[in-house]
Amino acid sequence: MTESNPLKRAAHKITGEPAATGPQDGVPGKPGPESPSVAEPTEPREPLPPKADQRGPATVSPTGQVTGVDQAKVAQGGAYLTTAQGVRLHDTDHSLKAGPRGPVLLQDHHLREKIMQFDHERIPERVVHARGAGAHGVFQSYGTASTVTKAAFLAEDVETEVFVRFSTVLGSRGSSDTVRDTRGFATKFYTTEGVFDLVGNNIPVFFIQDAIKFPDVIHAGKPHPDREIPQAQSAHDTFWDFVSLHTEATHHTLWNMSDRGIPRSYRMMEGFGVHTFRLVNAAGETTLVKFHWKPKLGVHSLVWEEAQIINGVDPDFHRRDLFDAIESGAYPQWELGIQTFPDTPDQMFEGIDLLDPTNIVPEELAPVQPIGLLTLNRNTSNFFAETEQVAFHVGHLVPGIDVTDDPLLQGRLFSYLDTQLTRLGGPNFNQLPINRTHVPVNDMQRDGYHQTAVHRGVAPYKPNSLDGGCPFAAGADAGAFVDVPVQLPESVKVRAQSETFDDHFSQPRRFWLSMSPIEREHIIAAYTFELGKCYEQAIKERNLQILANIDPVLCSKVAEGLGLPAPEPTVPLVDVQPSPALSQVGEVWPADGRMIGIVAAPDADLEGVAAVREAVLGAGMVPLVIAPTGGPLGSGGLKPQRTFTTARSTEFDAVLVAGAPAVGNDAYGARDAKANPTAGQSGPVDPRVVLLLAEAFRHGKAIGVWGGGDAALSAAGVPADAPGVVVGTSGPSTLEKLSRLMGSHRVWERFPTTV
């Protein structure tokens, strides 16, 4: 992606800051804006500015007034170390003692302040979605939704600042990124009418239909309370016990066992609002909708072995991928789309209950209509202040967008506000900079923990005359939020649900039938692995019965893997039409931001490597040169970013090899276990390169070699004529052929299928 891209330029219009040109050497990951000196700096100077890819929250007051203050003025400043009160300090390395070897004195005010602050640096992590990563960006509306909603930020050509947080559900803050789990996709729109939060997931359905079951499903999915294991995964008895007894979870579970459960990247992940919402247009007409985020790079996933390797090699894989892409200028983009449905009294569409959050409406029945473009163009400047303290709430609505009677959504309207009282210490969490609205606030709320606004007036109540009657109620013509009047059916008070919520198998069957053969193989493998981790035989048998009610092939293959008989269905198999839109396989997508590993050694075709590196950068992808050591290669000073020791195939979308790198000096097991060749392997090629190529081939990634690189293929047992393997005559020509292969994300022909 280049600076000539109008979408990239538009992404900076709101911020008033220059567009980032990416890292200086074309490779992301540089810790700071300047390279440090070897010696400790001693000359006082002001703090360094943030890197070009970083931006903090907009500078507005606690009550939403735009201050226009330079962001540097709300960060710590000054060349000298001080106390929290601004008093300069001459030493922060030694406590105040009664003599050099004496006891520490209680009067050491700096020690007490420093330790007190440190002791309270952490706040309670989120019960769910604790592991997250966030970034700033801009949403540009197409105006195509203006016929169904009066929301100002969805009018034509309106640009709105946003903050997006991606997350896993089950794991703690310290868990790994690439676990099999649902992902959160939460977007905070700082609109001209107030904050609107679209708090969704990467899976369009949920485990439960009623919010009263939320503690149950999370308690079942979390680590066992007696041992606090396993962390960040559902492959254990309590989860499968719950979902096999509570079969409304079947549809979500099937999605989670598919490749959707382990995304390749946040940049290649769909997002869904899950629930059905109600839109209101300027004429007061209502429409029911479902929200969708469609990634411009397409929807792609990891294979299971890759995910397991990454969990050990780089547990920060997804957040690093997001941050590096933004820093490189390969800004992630998603189109926001809506499925629209008539707002009928029964709130049904084509026999599908729109209030049941375990249902989808196939795109073939209700196409997703694009209404705007989201571009993430700035990384956070402080993870805690922004990503950790951001607070979302499905009840943060703006005029033109309202909720429905979905019982899961109704419970969320209570839960999100309630949780902030514990996490963020009181009701004033909305005054934290990342949560502040960008429009004036006059809510008459006062005091409470962490009140940072200095309110005026003497009459925070309505009606009043002492403050001149201010604030005044606004009418609909002044942009007020007016709840949609909905006719409620005459009914009795009852703990029950509509009988339309009782079908738990037709939607999962549609999902299964919509998968390609390789995706079905992955689902079978996922169920076999997860249920194989369960101890109790009864839980395995119970889940097989559920699979039998979805599809007999799915059930029989999983049963075969578990060594158990496949049961017969207990309900008739429903005749449903597949939805091709649910499959991730079969389309071609842009290669923007893909990571290309280029293996080279000092005796390789370094001119070709340099040319390939420049071509990869020019194509909007990220090249990482992999060499035996970290020093410059050859007289041209080509600088590697990875070594044979630090590189692993899972980091790359494709691999290029210049020549056949010889065995490195550190290639023995005491220093690097990857250097130990596998049984039967020996030869002149470094075993770590052999492992990298073997893994890349096994995981269906495109591989290209030139300059004698076919010897490396041979050492790795990779056939030179296999699908997705390119043997070229030069670096650039090899890259050209390789680039065409990456549009499909993987070389799917390498995976044999039986279903």
Side-chain angles (χ1 to χ4, degrees):
M1 195 177 292
T2 64
E3 283 299 311
S4 61
N5 189 328
L7 295 177
K8 188 171 180 180
R9 292 201 305 273
H12 293 278
K13 218 178 279 184
I14 274 185
T15 68
E17 300 179 27
T21 57
Q24 190 172 14
D25 61 358
V27 178
K30 185 179 176 67
E34 295 182 8
S35 295
S37 59
V38 176
E40 180 182 358
T42 57
E43 187 67 27
R45 61 177 293 180
E46 290 291 318
L48 297 178
K51 296 196 298 180
D53 62 294
Q54 297 175 330
R55 175 170 60 84
T59 50
V60 294
S61 75
T63 55
Q65 307 282 358
V66 177
T67 64
V69 174
D70 186 335
Q71 287 196 341
K73 299 297 184 184
V74 297
Q76 293 196 349
Y80 293 98
L81 177 69
T82 74
T83 69
Q85 312 307 316
V87 178
R88 290 185 180 180
L89 294 163
H90 79 285
D91 186 344
T92 191
D93 296 326
H94 306 97
S95 301
L96 189 65
K97 308 180 186 73
R101 296 175 61 82
V104 175
L105 300 179
L106 188 62
Q107 74 179 67
D108 190 344
H109 61 95
H110 175 44
L111 168 68
R112 294 193 64 197
E113 180 185 80
K114 187 174 180 180
I115 297 299
M116 179 274 295
Q117 176 65 38
F118 172 77
D119 287 346
H120 298 276
E121 278 183 358
R122 296 292 176 263
I123 61 176
E125 70 176 29
R126 291 167 169 86
V127 176
V128 288
H129 298 277
R131 171 78 178 181
H136 297 271
V138 63
F139 177 78
Q140 186 172 18
S141 173
Y142 300 155
T144 48
S146 57
T147 58
V148 292
T149 180
K150 61 184 178 182
F153 80 99
L154 292 176
E156 187 173 3
D157 292 333
V158 173
E159 292 182 346
T160 303
E161 285 195 79
V162 300
F163 185 80
V164 178
R165 186 178 187 271
F166 305 103
S167 56
T168 54
V169 173
L170 292 177
S172 66
R173 280 192 63 194
S175 59
S176 299
D177 278 348
T178 59
V179 295
R180 183 180 293 281
D181 196 2
T182 307
R183 265 69 181 181
F185 191 138
T187 308
K188 187 175 289 289
F189 297 83
Y190 302 98
T191 85
T192 58
E193 297 177 301
V195 167
F196 169 60
D197 287 345
L198 182 54
V199 195
N201 289 332
N202 73 319
I203 291 177
V205 292
F206 206 64
F207 286 107
I208 54 175
Q209 297 167 324
D210 192 307
I212 200 170
K213 296 299 297 179
F214 193 76
D216 299 293
V217 67
I218 298 304
H219 287 167
K222 284 284 191 177
H224 291 199
D226 56 345
R227 300 187 179 190
E228 188 63 12
I229 57 174
Q231 174 63 239
Q233 58 181 297
S234 55
H236 54 92
D237 288 78
T238 58
F239 174 80
W240 290 99
D241 182 39
F242 175 81
V243 299
S244 60
L245 293 169
H246 202 65
T247 54
E248 68 191 50
T250 301
H251 195 193
H252 189 130
T253 303
L254 185 59
W255 276 76
N256 225 30
M257 293 302 105
S258 77
D259 292 343
R260 303 280 185 145
I262 41 175
R264 158 63 180 84
S265 163
Y266 291 136
R267 300 178 292 128
M268 303 171 192
M269 187 177 83
E270 277 188 302
F272 303 91
V274 179
H275 308 287
T276 300
F277 290 82
R278 179 176 278 110
L279 300 186
V280 188
N281 65 13
E285 300 163 330
T286 61
T287 304
L288 300 181
V289 302
K290 286 184 175 290
F291 289 105
H292 295 249
W293 289 112
K294 297 284 189 180
K296 299 292 280 185
L297 297 181
V299 186
H300 300 307
S301 298
L302 296 167
V303 295
W304 181 228
E305 187 190 23
E306 276 186 303
Q308 291 175 304
I309 293 172
I310 292 169
N311 280 337
V313 174
D314 185 7
D316 305 307
F317 184 78
H318 280 155
R319 59 172 60 174
R320 190 188 313 280
D321 175 89
L322 175 69
F323 301 152
D324 284 356
I326 294 173
E327 185 180 0
S328 300
Y331 299 141
Q333 292 183 319
W334 294 259
E335 276 194 315
L336 179 62
I338 53 174
Q339 289 179 297
T340 61
F341 320 101
D343 190 359
T344 57
D346 62 1
Q347 297 175 88
M348 302 279 289
F349 180 78
E350 298 288 340
I352 299 170
D353 193 330
L354 297 177
L355 299 186
D356 182 350
T358 68
N359 285 342
I360 66 163
V361 177
E363 294 182 29
E364 292 76 15
L365 295 179
V368 176
Q369 306 166 55
I371 64 174
L373 181 70
L374 167 67
T375 303
L376 297 183
N377 60 4
R378 284 290 189 274
N379 285 316
T380 56
S381 59
N382 186 280
F383 189 94
F384 177 81
E386 297 164 73
T387 306
E388 189 62 20
Q389 290 196 133
V390 69
F392 296 96
H393 174 37
V394 289
H396 288 162
L397 303 165
V398 292
I401 304 177
D402 208 338
V403 299
T404 59
D405 294 335
D406 176 337
L408 179 62
L409 176 57
Q410 293 286 315
R412 293 178 74 192
L413 289 169
F414 169 82
S415 178
Y416 280 74
L417 283 181
D418 189 57
T419 194
Q420 310 308 339
L421 298 179
T422 297
R423 282 205 71 245
L424 300 174
N428 291 311
F429 66 89
N430 55 296
Q431 293 184 13
L432 293 167
I434 191 63
N435 295 321
R436 292 176 184 175
T437 180
H438 294 187
V439 296
V441 172
N442 197 346
D443 59 8
M444 295 190 298
Q445 309 294 346
R446 292 292 185 269
D447 307 336
Y449 284 111
H450 310 134
Q451 176 61 258
T452 57
V454 182
H455 295 300
R456 298 179 179 178
V458 297
Y461 51 84
K462 286 290 292 178
N464 77 72
S465 62
L466 295 179
D467 279 348
C470 186
F472 298 89
D477 57 343
F481 183 93
V482 179
D483 296 281
V484 177
V486 177
Q487 181 66 47
L488 299 178
E490 293 184 8
S491 57
V492 296
K493 188 186 298 184
V494 60
R495 288 190 185 274
Q497 66 181 18
S498 167
E499 62 182 19
T500 57
F501 280 42
D502 293 339
D503 175 10
H504 299 163
F505 300 114
S506 63
Q507 290 245 338
R509 179 162 173 76
R510 187 198 306 276
F511 183 82
W512 167 257
L513 294 177
S514 302
M515 296 293 99
S516 65
I518 184 59
E519 289 172 307
R520 293 186 187 183
E521 294 284 0
H522 290 170
I523 290 172
I524 291 166
Y527 271 103
T528 305
F529 175 86
E530 298 255 333
L531 293 174
K533 298 284 279 188
C534 292
Y535 179 86
E536 296 292 349
Q537 189 80 350
I539 291 175
K540 299 176 186 180
E541 294 176 2
R542 197 186 307 141
N543 278 283
L544 285 174
Q545 184 62 70
I546 291 172
L547 297 183
N549 291 343
I550 298 174
D551 187 87
V553 173
L554 170 61
C555 178
S556 65
K557 295 295 183 181
V558 175
E560 181 181 318
L562 296 175
L564 295 172
E568 294 297 319
T570 57
V571 297
L573 295 178
V574 184
D575 184 16
V576 294
Q577 290 298 313
S579 172
L582 297 177
S583 173
Q584 297 184 58
V585 177
E587 295 191 49
V588 176
W589 303 97
D592 302 51
R594 301 296 177 91
M595 308 292 285
I596 312 299
I598 309 171
V599 180
D603 59 349
D605 171 22
L606 297 184
E607 289 187 4
V609 171
V612 165
R613 185 181 183 279
E614 291 305 311
V616 170
L617 283 170
M621 298 182 287
V622 179
L624 295 176
V625 177
I626 310 163
T629 63
L633 293 171
S635 58
L638 184 66
K639 182 182 178 183
Q641 288 76 48
R642 299 289 187 272
T643 66
F644 294 169
T645 296
T646 60
R648 198 69 190 257
S649 68
T650 50
E651 185 175 9
F652 310 113
D653 295 290
V655 176
L656 286 162
V657 183
V663 178
N665 294 331
D666 62 342
Y668 58 90
R671 291 190 181 179
D672 186 354
K674 298 195 306 299
N676 291 324
T678 57
Q681 282 188 343
S682 62
V685 180
D686 191 293
R688 294 164 295 186
V689 175
V690 171
L691 175 64
L692 188 147
L693 287 173
E695 284 181 349
F697 183 78
R698 192 163 67 243
H699 298 157
K701 296 179 180 179
I703 298 172
V705 300
W706 81 95
D710 49 343
L713 292 179
S714 178
V718 174
D721 59 351
V725 177
V726 176
V727 179
T729 56
S730 69
S733 66
T734 306
L735 174 65
E736 182 181 356
K737 296 176 182 177
L738 199 76
S739 298
R740 291 195 290 268
L741 293 168
M742 285 192 295
S744 300
H745 187 61
R746 296 190 192 277
V747 183
W748 298 110
E749 299 91 322
R750 288 195 203 140
F751 296 98
T753 60
T754 62
V755 292

